[in-house]
Amino acid sequence: MKFLIVEDEIRIREGIRRLLPKLDPENEIAGEAENGERGLALIQKLRPDVIITDVRMPVMDGLAMLEAAYREGCAAKAIVLSAYSEFEYARSALRLGVTEYLLKPINLADFSCAIERVKQEMERDRKDRPEKIGGLDQVLRNILNGDMELEDEVLDYLKQRFGINRTSAIALLVTYFEEWTEKNRADFLRKIKMILMERPGILYCIQEDEKQREIRLLLYNYRENDNMKRWIQGHFLRENEKVHGAAMGWTEVEDIRLLRENYEAVQQYLEWTIPMGDDVIISYPEILNIQTELCVYPLDIEEQMKAAVCAGDQEKTKKCLKRFQRYFQDKKLYSPQNIKDCYARFCWNMIHFLKEAGSLSDEDIDQRELLDLITRAKTWQGLEDAVTELLRERKDTRNPIDNLNVRRAVAMIHEFYRTGITLDEIAARLGITPEYLGTQFHQEMGINFSAYVRKFRIEKAKKLLLGTDMKLYEIAAQAGYMDAKYFSRVFKAETGMLPAEYRKTHK
């Protein structure tokens, strides 16, 4: 046991120093101090097993020193010496969890018994240690999550219980799933266990973390020439063995104290699966040597997408989206952050365009959530999910029209708006009076017939202004206005700017 003696009376301090080795040759004097302040500094530096301290000392007393030490996480046993028998001192010592409280002058028999009781208590703690620290899975999980410091006690436990020395080789394979499902989890675990069966002597630990969407495989105490990385890559990178929609990272350490640091680095660099593809396991620290090129945003593809959306051409829209995705998968290597910036810009511009075109409202999509999807993505699937979410939100979410006459009237407006269809014409087709239809329309839609037709035409014109290069008179005709000047006046009354100004501002 390592002892620290904190006592301001040099005669008592020297007596304890000479006595301890006589009681047990394995008793080691780690250090001595003449006051609590110096004692606290030595506790932090030497980390003794047992602290023998006086109560009343200059600068800082013994109980204040112990309280400060225990507050900082000190686990040492303490024997308190005092020339005072006041109950308040004893009570304070017990509150701190002091193991023994002895009165001066020290009786040799009492001191010897106190040391023996401390030794027995430490032995009980040692036996209880596996239960307190946990099994290997829990220890490694706590290390990776930053919930456990690798103090000597933990290192000794790993060595004695599992044969893992501080310098043992440990390999870590981290697999992140964009979509955590029971099927993905079960299939991957089955695959890992089948691979491990090839090497029955290998020592390993498998961890699942649903919150992080990760499955972690830790391999340890293997031989240097086993080449674990090549063995793992050989299995997971075969065409029929690839894990789609997942990012895989690898690191190896020869000092367990670096395990958490390397794990956090692997998590950070998993997004390199995006530019490098799912046929690569991201290896740290090798990934630090990768050289990339600057990616130029494909503005032409964005313009084609806008035109396809304006035309309502779903097939062309899908093709533009595929082309946008393939743009980043050519022979050049771009950084994942560069690619994500382009995706964010594309989504932001499309949201702005769709809102201006009247196809999207603020309630239809959460822009912050969309940006979060892009930021979190570690695979192409993650980025594609973000764009799919944007396109999915473009579905018409307006309240359904309950009134059959109004529903049929709206359908006719959408079909014949270019020809200048009137309320009278629609009422005649429905076999009801214009007055009755006008009243029902206003009650159901919250807007009168002519205002609805005007707004619908202007929304169509907006899409054409932003998504095409058509001339103004052509857009006017497409929106149902034969006179381009009259169209411009109506457009300004509705939007606050002329068509040309609107196109220049928003395109």
Side-chain angles (χ1 to χ4, degrees):
M1 293 188 293
K2 289 196 303 184
F3 287 82
L4 173 66
I5 305 168
V6 186
E7 169 62 69
D8 61 326
E9 293 186 45
I10 188 169
R11 180 179 56 83
I12 297 177
R13 196 166 69 237
E14 289 177 347
I16 294 173
R17 185 204 317 144
R18 289 193 297 267
L19 180 58
L20 283 170
K22 292 178 180 178
L23 294 176
D24 188 337
E26 292 187 3
N27 289 341
E28 174 190 345
I29 311 302
E32 299 177 29
E34 68 282 358
N35 60 62
E37 185 177 75
R38 174 62 179 158
L40 182 60
L42 290 178
I43 290 170
Q44 296 167 338
K45 180 181 179 182
L46 303 174
R47 296 165 66 184
D49 298 314
V50 183
I51 302 166
I52 299 175
T53 180
D54 190 7
V55 173
R56 288 196 174 187
M57 294 182 290
V59 186
M60 176 187 284
D61 70 50
L63 296 182
M65 175 195 72
L66 289 176
E67 186 172 9
Y70 288 147
R71 192 166 53 241
E72 293 175 0
C74 172
K77 304 298 179 184
I79 298 175
V80 172
L81 312 175
S82 177
Y84 304 90
S85 59
E86 289 93 336
F87 176 69
E88 188 58 38
Y89 284 119
R91 188 172 67 175
S92 298
L94 291 171
R95 177 176 58 81
L96 290 173
V98 166
T99 310
E100 297 288 335
Y101 188 88
L102 301 177
L103 290 176
K104 296 180 181 177
I106 302 171
N107 179 284
L108 179 59
D110 289 343
F111 185 76
S112 178
C113 288
I115 296 295
E116 185 60 29
R117 284 193 294 269
V118 167
K119 185 176 181 181
Q120 290 173 0
E121 188 169 332
M122 291 180 65
E123 182 63 22
R124 285 195 298 272
D125 289 348
R126 189 189 66 78
K127 290 178 179 178
D128 292 341
R129 192 182 306 158
E131 186 176 330
K132 292 179 181 177
I133 296 178
L136 180 61
D137 175 75
Q138 190 60 49
V139 171
L140 293 175
R141 189 182 296 271
N142 288 341
I143 292 171
L144 294 177
N145 292 337
D147 298 329
M148 177 180 284
E149 295 296 328
L150 282 169
E151 298 176 344
D152 290 343
E153 180 186 24
V154 178
L155 292 171
D156 290 344
Y157 171 67
L158 287 172
K159 180 180 179 180
Q160 293 169 14
R161 188 76 181 270
F162 305 105
I164 300 177
N165 297 312
R166 197 192 77 186
T167 56
S168 293
I170 299 178
L172 172 64
L173 175 70
V174 180
T175 304
Y176 169 88
F177 296 87
E178 290 287 2
E179 187 178 4
W180 181 273
T181 65
E182 181 57 30
K183 184 178 185 306
N184 285 345
R185 169 193 161 281
D187 288 350
F188 189 75
L189 287 175
R190 194 180 306 112
K191 185 177 295 186
I192 283 181
K193 289 172 182 176
M194 287 180 64
I195 293 171
L196 292 170
M197 286 173 63
E198 292 184 6
R199 297 193 179 185
I202 199 166
L203 300 176
Y204 67 89
C205 178
I206 299 173
Q207 298 179 352
E208 300 175 52
D209 191 331
E210 183 174 355
K211 184 179 179 181
Q212 297 278 5
R213 302 187 198 173
E214 289 178 355
I215 292 179
R216 302 186 284 263
L217 171 64
L218 293 109
L219 308 169
Y220 62 96
N221 283 2
Y222 52 86
R223 296 187 303 273
E224 186 177 346
N225 59 2
D226 282 344
N227 205 329
M228 305 307 292
K229 180 180 174 183
R230 180 176 296 179
W231 176 56
I232 289 293
Q233 285 180 325
H235 281 282
F236 283 107
L237 301 185
R238 294 173 187 164
E239 192 59 40
N240 61 338
E241 296 286 350
K242 287 181 185 176
V243 184
H244 298 286
M248 303 181 75
W250 174 271
T251 189
E252 292 183 68
V253 297
E254 292 182 353
D255 186 335
I256 195 171
R257 294 174 299 179
L258 299 176
L259 186 59
R260 172 167 169 75
E261 178 184 329
N262 279 36
Y263 166 59
E264 290 179 336
V266 168
Q267 286 184 310
Q268 176 186 347
Y269 286 99
L270 279 175
E271 64 179 12
W272 280 84
T273 302
I274 294 172
M276 300 183 75
D278 60 9
D279 56 350
V280 170
I281 295 177
I282 305 303
S283 184
Y284 177 85
E286 290 80 357
I287 189 67
L288 300 176
N289 300 319
I290 294 294
Q291 300 293 318
T292 60
E293 298 187 40
L294 182 64
C295 177
V296 179
Y297 181 78
L299 190 59
D300 58 324
I301 301 178
E302 181 191 305
E303 293 301 319
Q304 292 168 18
M305 175 68 89
K306 290 178 180 178
V309 170
C310 282
D313 191 332
Q314 290 295 322
E315 193 60 36
K316 192 172 181 181
T317 298
K318 290 179 182 177
K319 286 182 179 177
C320 286
L321 182 57
K322 286 291 183 186
R323 199 176 150 218
F324 182 81
Q325 292 164 349
R326 285 198 302 269
Y327 175 82
F328 304 98
Q329 298 172 338
D330 60 14
K331 294 180 180 179
K332 295 179 181 178
L333 185 65
Y334 307 118
S335 76
Q337 189 56 55
N338 200 179
I339 295 173
K340 288 181 178 183
D341 288 344
C342 289
Y343 263 79
R345 176 179 171 182
F346 177 77
C347 288
W348 245 237
N349 290 348
M350 288 304 300
I351 288 171
H352 179 71
F353 167 73
L354 292 170
K355 285 181 177 179
E356 286 299 322
S359 299
L360 200 66
S361 68
D362 289 331
E363 293 76 26
D364 290 333
I365 193 165
D366 187 334
Q367 291 180 241
R368 182 173 294 180
E369 183 180 340
L370 185 64
L371 178 60
D372 190 46
L373 281 174
I374 294 171
T375 303
R376 284 200 322 260
K378 292 179 173 60
T379 67
W380 283 113
Q381 179 183 317
L383 291 177
E384 290 167 11
D385 286 347
V387 180
T388 301
E389 178 70 10
L390 171 60
L391 296 178
R392 183 184 67 78
E393 295 289 351
R394 291 191 57 244
K395 294 177 181 177
D396 191 354
T397 56
R398 293 172 297 184
N399 292 328
I401 301 171
D402 295 327
N403 188 290
L404 179 60
N405 286 329
V406 176
R407 190 160 66 244
R408 292 175 65 189
V410 168
M412 288 187 213
I413 292 170
H414 291 184
E415 184 175 358
F416 301 110
Y417 70 93
R418 291 190 186 91
T419 62
I421 194 167
T422 65
L423 179 66
D424 290 351
E425 289 172 328
I426 292 179
R429 292 193 181 197
L430 296 176
I432 56 178
T433 65
E435 293 78 14
Y436 181 62
L437 176 59
T439 301
Q440 285 191 319
F441 195 96
H442 191 274
Q443 289 175 343
E444 184 74 27
M445 304 300 291
I447 188 174
N448 66 39
F449 179 87
S450 60
Y452 180 86
V453 173
R454 182 173 65 253
K455 288 181 76 69
F456 184 78
R457 285 172 169 167
I458 295 303
E459 292 302 328
K460 290 293 181 182
K462 284 181 180 179
K463 289 184 180 181
L464 295 172
L465 285 165
L466 297 178
T468 73
D469 294 321
M470 293 170 65
K471 305 286 187 187
L472 183 59
Y473 69 88
E474 294 174 320
I475 291 174
Q478 286 289 319
Y481 295 95
M482 295 303 103
D483 186 337
K485 290 184 178 179
Y486 176 66
F487 162 67
S488 292
R489 289 200 299 274
V490 174
F491 190 94
K492 185 173 183 179
E494 191 70 29
T495 66
M497 60 181 73
L498 292 169
E501 294 173 331
Y502 181 86
R503 174 179 266 171
K504 185 177 181 181
T505 301
H506 297 292
K507 191 168 182 180

